[in-house]
Amino acid sequence: MHKGISTAAGLLLGFALDRVLADPRRWHPVAGFGTAAAALEQRTYADTHRAGILHETVAVGSVLAFAAVAARGGLLATTLATWTVLGGRSLARAGRDMADRLDAGDIDAARELLPSLCGRDPSVLDADGLARAALESIAENTSDATVAPLLWGAVAGVPGLLGYRAVNTLDAMVGYRNERYLRFGWAAARTDDAANLVPARVTGLLTVVLAPLVGGTPGQAWQAWRQDARKHPSPNAGVVEASMAGALGVRLGGRTQYRYGAELRPTLGTGRAPETEDLRRAVRMSEAVQIGAVAVSAALALLRR
C-alpha cells in the first residue's frame, strides 16, 4: 500500500476507534509518557532556560525515536498511534457530563469533573464560571486533542502523531508562568505554541464554516476571530476560543482562576455570558470540527503521494 494511502487510512481508522472506544481508562500510553516525563524532571529540573530545553529535547526526542521505529508497522501502527493520541470522544463526553451536572444543580459534582477538562481552580467557580471554563476548554482542546494531532499525522505519519502528543503533554505539565516553571517550562510552552500555529487556524476556519450547525453564522465567527483573537495571551487559544464565541453568539474571557493564581483574560465575542445549553452547542461544534479535521487530514495525506 502506498504510504500516503496507508497514512490516510490509518488516520480514518484511528479516528473511528476513538469515536467508538474513546480513551483507554487504564494503561493509557499518554499517561505513561506523563509519568516518565515527571520522573525525568526530577533529574533535569533547574530554574533555567537551558535545563528546560534539555528536558524538552530528551523527552520529545525519545518519543520521536520510538515513533520512527514504530512507523515500520504501516497501517496498523498509524491506526493505533492515531487512536492513542486523540481525545475527541472523551472531550465531548466530559462536556456533556458537565452540562448535565450543571442542569441538575449539582455544583459539587461539576467541580469534581472540571479538572478532566482544564487546570482551573474549581473551588472558586460558581455555575456560570464552570460553564464558561468548560466551554473555553472544549474550544481549545478541540484543536489540541484532535485537529492538531491529525494534521501532524497527515504530514509526518506516526512520528508526527506521537511527537505532537509529547509536545502538547509536556506543555500541560510544565508550560506555566508560575515561579517554578517560568524559565524551566519556557521551551515546552514555546514548542507547543509553534506546533499549534497552523492547527489552531485550521480549527478556526472549520468553526467559521460550520457555525450554522449550532445556530450561528460564519460572519459572526469570523468577526470575533478577527477582532478579539489577538487580545488573548496565547497566539493559538485566542483563535479557537474567539471563533467559537462568535459561532455560538456568547462572550468568553474575564477573570480566570488557576491553582497557581489568577489571570484577567480579554473578552472574546460580544454576546451574552454562556449557559449550559451553549456548552452543549459547543460540544456539537467540537464534534463537527473533528469530523471536518479528519477529512482534511486524510485528503492532505493522500496529496503527499
Side-chain angles (χ1 to χ4, degrees):
M1 184 182 295
H2 189 278
K3 186 174 182 179
I5 298 175
S6 175
T7 299
L11 293 174
L12 291 168
L13 289 171
F15 181 83
L17 281 178
D18 178 66
R19 301 310 302 168
V20 173
L21 302 176
D23 289 330
R25 293 187 178 273
R26 299 180 63 185
W27 307 107
H28 197 298
V30 175
F33 170 76
T35 300
L40 176 66
E41 183 182 336
Q42 300 301 313
R43 296 179 174 274
T44 58
Y45 179 80
D47 189 20
T48 65
H49 287 98
R50 181 178 297 178
I53 292 171
L54 174 64
H55 181 72
E56 183 81 2
T57 302
V58 172
V60 177
S62 299
V63 171
L64 289 175
F66 168 79
V69 175
R72 299 172 185 172
L75 174 61
L76 179 61
T78 304
T79 299
L80 293 177
T82 302
W83 176 42
T84 295
V85 303
L86 293 184
R89 171 71 185 279
S90 296
L91 177 66
R93 182 170 57 196
R96 289 195 179 94
D97 287 347
M98 177 64 77
D100 289 342
R101 295 179 186 191
L102 290 174
D103 278 341
D106 194 342
I107 302 300
D108 289 338
R111 286 172 175 161
E112 289 178 2
L113 180 61
L114 189 67
S116 68
L117 285 166
C118 61
R120 301 183 193 183
D121 184 358
S123 65
V124 301
L125 297 177
D126 58 11
D128 290 341
L130 290 164
R132 191 200 112 201
L135 200 157
E136 290 174 352
S137 180
I138 292 291
E140 184 173 1
N141 283 300
T142 296
S143 180
D144 291 355
T146 302
V147 180
L150 286 171
L151 290 175
W152 276 104
V155 300
V158 174
L161 290 160
L162 299 184
Y164 170 79
R165 181 50 63 214
V167 166
N168 189 245
T169 301
L170 285 177
D171 177 60
M173 295 178 69
V174 305
Y176 297 107
R177 296 188 180 99
N178 59 13
E179 184 177 353
R180 175 176 174 85
Y181 291 125
L182 183 61
R183 283 171 285 275
F184 181 77
W186 176 86
R190 297 292 79 77
T191 303
D192 185 72
D193 283 345
N196 281 291
L197 277 174
V198 172
R201 282 143 188 84
V202 172
T203 304
L205 287 173
L206 288 169
T207 301
V208 168
V209 171
L210 298 171
L213 295 180
V214 293
T217 67
Q220 289 176 321
W222 176 254
Q223 183 179 23
W225 176 356
R226 298 298 297 170
Q227 290 185 351
D228 298 332
R230 67 175 67 93
K231 303 174 186 176
H232 199 284
S234 167
N236 302 316
V239 171
V240 296
E241 290 182 21
S243 57
M244 179 71 87
L248 298 175
V250 300
R251 182 181 69 257
L252 301 177
R255 182 179 174 84
T256 303
Q257 185 72 42
Y258 294 95
R259 295 189 184 280
Y260 61 81
E263 295 182 16
L264 187 60
R265 293 291 176 84
T267 299
L268 307 176
T270 58
R272 53 182 168 72
E275 302 172 351
T276 54
E277 179 55 31
D278 300 309
L279 179 54
R280 297 185 193 279
R281 293 166 63 213
V283 170
R284 293 199 299 271
M285 171 60 79
S286 174
E287 291 181 316
V289 168
Q290 292 176 41
I291 293 171
V294 75
V296 169
S297 299
L300 183 59
L302 289 174
L303 289 175
R304 292 178 58 208
R305 295 183 64 183

